Amino acid sequence: MDIQDLIQTVLIYALPVIFAITVHEASHGYVARYLGDNTAYVLGRVTLNPIRHIDPIGTIVMPLVLYIATSGTFLFGYAKPVPVNFGHLRNPKRDMIWVALAGPASNFIQAILWAAFFYLLKGMNVEEPFFLRMAQGGVLVNLVMWAFNLFPLPPLDGGRVLAGVLPRGRAQDFLSRIEPYGFFIVMGLVLAGIITNWWMRPLMGFGYDAISFLLTPVTALLR
């Protein structure tokens, strides 16, 4: 791989990735605090300081190694999860859904903002490839995080939502039992192409269409 291409790619995606991860994790902590749990706030995780959320291995080393090893065809990483004591929430079963959805929702909102930034650049006849690619990268990164984290398997956010929706009983007990192995199950499903082909591609396609529709007034004004 050309080292210059790697450096350029890192520079283009650095800001979108940092914002995507930081706002995602902070959103979990903020909503948890609003709904009664101060755990993340006490530990200093309800912040937009990216250093508080970045995991050196999962956020930096692993994505870079995978990007280089696969020539950019496969990328995976993670941040330090925000601690939430669901027992402290005012309505634990219901509120865990809102806490879980806060992260993906923040990514979808960021994807909209990056898309609006892209349209604004085009409307102002800015043709600098670096900024245009950064805006496009911001949309892509955030839609990937949005779709991936909504997959209904713990420890992903979608698994928390599923646990909150399902009635108490065997189904919730099953989710609790598989959660310690959830990361490995998710990785296996990713490597097998199941999550990518059957979950993320359709959901991201819907996301791009939804953003395009929501920004129709903006594109109309910039013509």
Side-chain angles (χ1 to χ4, degrees):
M1 175 176 290
D2 190 329
I3 188 66
Q4 289 186 335
D5 289 342
L6 175 61
I7 293 174
Q8 186 179 48
T9 300
V10 169
L11 291 175
I12 287 170
Y13 281 92
L15 197 60
V17 168
I18 289 172
F19 272 117
I21 291 173
T22 301
V23 178
H24 178 105
E25 297 299 337
S27 296
H28 285 310
Y30 176 81
V31 173
R33 186 189 182 201
Y34 179 78
L35 295 174
D37 177 40
N38 283 327
T39 304
Y41 178 75
V42 170
L43 294 174
R45 297 297 303 279
V46 185
T47 175
L48 293 180
N49 179 359
I51 297 175
R52 304 292 296 178
H53 304 292
I54 289 175
D55 182 280
I57 301 298
T59 312
I60 300 172
V61 176
M62 181 182 288
L64 276 175
V65 170
L66 287 174
Y67 185 88
I68 295 171
T70 65
S71 298
T73 59
F74 179 71
L75 199 60
F76 182 81
Y78 56 87
K80 291 189 291 186
V82 166
V84 177
N85 188 330
F86 295 106
H88 289 172
L89 299 173
R90 286 190 285 272
N91 188 326
K93 194 171 186 304
R94 180 199 65 196
D95 292 347
M96 76 161 58
I97 297 174
W98 299 116
V99 173
L101 286 175
S106 74
N107 289 125
F108 194 79
I109 292 171
Q110 288 181 81
I112 295 174
L113 294 177
W114 279 111
F117 178 55
F118 176 81
Y119 288 135
L120 182 62
L121 291 175
K122 297 294 286 186
M124 296 172 63
N125 296 317
V126 175
E127 298 297 335
E128 171 56 50
F130 179 83
F131 294 112
L132 292 173
R133 289 184 61 191
M134 179 183 287
Q136 292 173 318
V139 177
L140 175 62
V141 165
N142 280 284
L143 283 184
V144 166
M145 285 191 66
W146 167 71
F148 181 72
N149 279 285
L150 284 178
F151 189 75
L153 186 72
L156 298 178
D157 297 327
R160 302 291 186 196
V161 174
L162 183 61
V165 170
L166 289 174
R168 300 183 190 277
R170 292 183 178 179
Q172 282 201 347
D173 291 341
F174 174 73
L175 287 178
S176 298
R177 285 199 299 271
I178 67 171
E179 182 166 356
Y181 316 102
F183 175 80
F184 303 102
I185 296 173
V186 169
M187 283 301 298
L189 293 175
V190 168
L191 293 173
I194 294 173
I195 290 181
T196 304
N197 296 324
W198 297 96
W199 178 263
M200 293 185 64
R201 283 184 180 174
L203 201 55
M204 288 179 66
F206 168 78
Y208 275 113
D209 290 341
I211 290 174
S212 179
F213 173 76
L214 290 171
L215 292 181
T216 299
V218 176
T219 57
L221 286 173
L222 294 174
R223 284 175 185 170

